[in-house]
Amino acid sequence: MIEVKDLHKSFGEAHILKGITTSFEKGKTNLIIGQSGSGKTVFLKCLLGLFEYEEGSISYDGKIFSALSADEKRELRAEIGMVFQGSALFDSMTIAENVMFPLRMFTKQSKSEMEDRVNVVLNRVNLENAHKKMPSEASGGMQKRVAIARAIVNNPKYLFCDEPNSGLDPKTAIVIDNLIQEITDEFNITTVINSHDMNSVMEIGEKIVFLKDGLKAWEGSKETIFRTDNEAVTNFVYSSELFKKVRKMYLEENQ
Ligand SMILES: Nc1ncnc2c1ncn2[C@@H]1O[C@H](COP(=O)(O)OP(=O)(O)OP(=O)(O)O)[C@@H](O)[C@H]1O
Ligand SMILES: [Mg+2]
């Protein structure tokens, strides 16, 4: 469980996160949604420990990050997996080398132990024959799966994904969403995903935190998002005619 209390983050004069309090449970896919510029990536980078913040606290299973020693912070970082916006693979490394990278960084495993683990995770994301390919030879969907394999190779307790299905066709996007949800469930990971994709919300939104202008404007689940009359949420979620219809049908069916 990750608990965030009254988080404030500014860049110079610009106050971006204005006091966010929420929590993310273990074994659940937690979604952060909100318009472009609402602060999702900044928030995720605070969770990752990549950004310092002026006020507030973040605790990981009871450990408050800012109170940890440098060694303890390093240990915690080794328990975090990350899928960056746009995959961020190393272009000059093969797919297998990309996936092995965190093991080289954070563990003292032998080469054959690392190779075994790389095989396991590449199989898990259905890329058993892609070891020797370069990222440039892989499709966008394959690159996302490599990024997921790399993020989970070190058995993370926490998994953060920034727009994991951006740039993918709707079918591949759902495959990636479902893969993340299955892995979250299978390995009991605390997963936090940034998204502005309504399909993701409806498919895998076990907990949804809606950010607006650096504040949490609403939180709930894919079931309660249909029933809320919070105007900020409904303006965002039901800006398309399709989702207005989906909501109407859902409410008619579940009266
Ligand atoms: N390193 C930075 N320095 C200064 N301002 C920044 C920095 N990173 C982000 N910002 C500002 O913080 C605000 C929130 O940006 P953020 O990237 O978190 O939005 P987002 O919700 O992730 O948007 P998107 O959906 O487009 O990815 C924006 O106004 C942005 O300009
Ligand atoms: Mg972003």
Side-chain angles (χ1 to χ4, degrees), residues 138-156:
S139 69
M142 278 171 77
Q143 290 181 16
K144 297 285 180 188
R145 283 188 278 156
V146 176
I148 293 168
R150 184 175 63 183
I152 62 167
V153 73
N154 206 12
N155 279 319

Side-chain angles (χ1 to χ4, degrees), residues 8 11 23 29 33 92 96 103 107 112 139 149 178 186 194 209 223 226-227 229 233 249 251 255:
H8 287 261
F11 295 102
S23 61
T29 44
I33 64 170
S92 61
L103 298 179
T107 75
S112 71
S139 69
N178 289 339
E186 197 172 316
N194 275 355
V209 175
E223 288 82 20
F226 281 117
R227 298 187 180 280
D229 48 16
V233 181
M249 280 162 55
L251 291 176
Q255 272 175 359

Side-chain angles (χ1 to χ4, degrees), residues 65-204:
F65 187 77
S66 57
L68 300 178
S69 67
D71 278 350
E72 288 168 330
K73 281 184 183 162
R74 200 182 137 77
E75 275 170 33
L76 181 70
R77 287 216 174 91
E79 296 179 331
I80 292 176
M82 174 74 201
V83 177
F84 289 95
Q85 211 160 349
S87 295
L89 301 177
F90 304 112
D91 292 335
S92 61
M93 295 183 190
T94 65
I95 284 176
E97 286 164 350
N98 263 281
V99 175
M100 196 180 282
F101 188 79
L103 298 179
R104 287 184 192 279
M105 281 273 290
F106 290 113
T107 75
K108 296 193 169 65
Q109 293 179 12
S110 69
K111 186 135 193 292
S112 71
E113 281 171 323
M114 291 195 288
E115 282 168 354
D116 287 347
R117 181 66 190 152
V118 168
N119 287 339
V120 168
V121 290
L122 280 176
N123 282 345
R124 182 64 193 81
V125 299
N126 301 320
L127 285 177
E128 40 284 291
N129 299 316
H131 290 62
K132 294 204 172 80
K133 277 198 164 66
M134 301 305 284
S136 59
E137 298 172 288
S139 69
M142 278 171 77
Q143 290 181 16
K144 297 285 180 188
R145 283 188 278 156
V146 176
I148 293 168
R150 184 175 63 183
I152 62 167
V153 73
N154 206 12
N155 279 319
K157 279 191 187 164
Y158 314 98
L159 177 63
F160 300 115
C161 309
D162 201 354
E163 309 277 357
N165 57 22
S166 63
L168 300 178
D169 63 85
K171 197 169 170 189
T172 309
I174 288 175
V175 169
I176 295 295
D177 279 346
N178 289 339
L179 180 62
I180 294 172
Q181 184 168 50
E182 283 160 24
I183 286 170
T184 297
D185 184 50
E186 197 172 316
F187 303 109
N188 203 22
I189 303 173
T190 307
T191 296
V192 183
I193 303 171
N194 275 355
S195 181
H196 46 224
D197 179 5
M198 282 314 298
N199 274 325
S200 303
V201 170
M202 303 303 173
E203 288 276 329
I204 59 165

